[in-house]
Structure formats: structure tokens, C-alpha cells
Amino acid sequence: MDDCIFCKIIKGEIPSYKIYEDEKTYAFLDIACDATGHTLVIPKKHCTNVLDCDEEYLAATMATVQRIAKHYVEDCGYDGVNIINASGKAAQQSVFHLHFHIIPRKNGDGMDLFPLKDKLDIDMAEVQKRLAL
């Protein structure tokens, strides 16, 4: 896609700090610089998000996510990772090319990435009935 910033990064039209690349995926540091090592993993084939990505490219992207996450923990001294994806505007997706965030974590780093909300008063059985495949 011509106007997609991530497609331009893949093509080399926009510079990036590449972490990893293979035939189907590309991983690079997020320029937000909000966490050391914050990495984005994207498929080289344009798709909007997990809802429209074909299985082959989604599987390849997830394999790259796992490979990088393991590398950060096993080889780079991190204690864990957060892996985040937003699919759709309602989920706060801001760049409409499928991407996964890998945020390397250290014990005691002070980051809290999970939303803090009061427990909802909902009927879990009703939710299960509505959502089950």
C-alpha cells in the first residue's frame, strides 16, 4: 500500500532500526522510545490487522514475535516481555498495518501496562453463551 508508513519502512523508503528480517516479516525498534527495546513486528505483506491477515503471514509474524521475545529474555538480559496488538480503531489501533509490540521487561522496571479497572458486574455464563464458537 503506497501510503502505509510500515510498507514504506519495509521498502526502505523510511529508515528504521532493524532488529530482524526474513522473507515474510520485519522487526524494528519503535520510534516512540517509550521503553528500551520496544520492538514492532510486522508482516511484509500489507494487511490491516489480525482480522484480515491470511493465516500464512499471521503464523510467520507470530513465529517472529516468539523468536525475538525468546532472544530478548535468553540472550539480552530481560526478565520477560509484554506482547501487545490492537486490531481495529475501537481497540486503539493507530497504524493500520498489522503489528505486534514487544516490550522487553525487567523485574522492578515500574511499568504497568495493564489497565486498572474495577471488576465488572456481569453474568459470565451469559457472556460465554454469547461469545462461544
Side-chain angles (χ1 to χ4, degrees):
M1 179 174 270
D2 291 338
D3 62 339
C4 172
I5 190 168
F6 289 171
C7 288
K8 289 179 179 182
I9 288 171
I10 292 165
K11 293 178 193 171
E13 296 172 6
I14 296 175
S16 66
Y17 293 95
K18 180 172 68 173
I19 297 299
Y20 175 80
E21 180 177 15
D22 62 27
E23 181 183 318
K24 292 187 171 100
T25 65
Y26 191 84
F28 56 100
L29 295 178
D30 189 323
I31 61 170
C33 294
D34 52 3
T36 302
H38 182 166
T39 302
L40 301 177
V41 179
I42 61 176
K44 287 185 172 179
K45 179 180 179 182
H46 183 85
C47 55
T48 305
N49 56 45
V50 298
L51 303 174
D52 72 343
C53 187
D54 67 55
E55 288 182 14
E56 178 183 356
Y57 274 82
L58 183 57
T61 303
M62 290 309 301
T64 296
V65 167
Q66 183 183 44
R67 181 178 186 158
I68 292 169
K70 282 183 173 183
H71 169 64
Y72 286 175
V73 172
E74 294 172 2
D75 304 322
C76 299
Y78 289 99
D79 300 311
V81 297
N82 285 103
I83 298 169
I84 302 169
N85 168 262
S87 286
K89 188 175 182 178
Q92 297 178 307
Q93 184 177 2
S94 59
V95 177
F96 293 91
H97 181 124
L98 174 62
H99 60 286
F100 290 87
H101 299 257
I102 301 174
I103 302 173
R105 301 296 301 272
K106 292 270 196 176
N107 291 324
D109 64 16
M111 283 192 279
D112 187 4
L113 299 180
F114 290 97
L116 300 174
K117 278 185 82 170
D118 292 335
K119 185 175 180 178
L120 299 174
D121 183 22
I122 58 176
D123 181 339
M124 295 291 284
E126 183 59 37
V127 173
Q128 176 193 22
K129 188 187 321 181
R130 186 170 50 91
L131 298 179
L133 287 174

